[in-house]
Amino acid sequence: LPLPLSARPQPARFSVALPRTAPPPPALRLRSVRRLAAAEGGTPGMKETLDKVVSAHKVVLFMKGTKDFPQCGFSHTVVQILRSLDVPFETLDVLANDALRQGLKDYSSWPTFPQLYIDGEFFGGCDITLGMYAYALSACPSSHD
């Protein structure tokens, strides 16, 4: 007989406590991708702009689509991981602008999306994020032991 739901082991909840920082000044807040590219006039100055964007927030995800409507499975996976960890994060849609998409590939030396930045540093894509999440879950003691 199957166990009733209340008797089934529950997966461990894993949370990461990231220090909360004050919101960045309005000049550093993320702008829409279209305005970002228009202000930069294409690729000149893209590195400086991306430096500002990734340092303006603790966690930034450059993805296909938005956190509420991801446009690819890999982007969706990273969004779900960050949400399950209760991590506040900002996103930028790379599908909205070709110059941004290419500029990020050059900036990170990483050819695919999503791209996750933590504390202004490139962390990785979906595969690295998923691997670190799985490792953290396996290292966390289970709530039912």
Side-chain angles (χ1 to χ4, degrees), residues 99-110:
L100 174 66
R101 188 168 50 251
Q102 186 56 48
L104 274 163
K105 290 178 183 182
D106 297 338
Y107 182 77
S108 65
S109 300
W110 192 262

Side-chain angles (χ1 to χ4, degrees), residues 1-5 8:
L1 288 171
L3 290 173
L5 288 177
R8 293 181 190 173

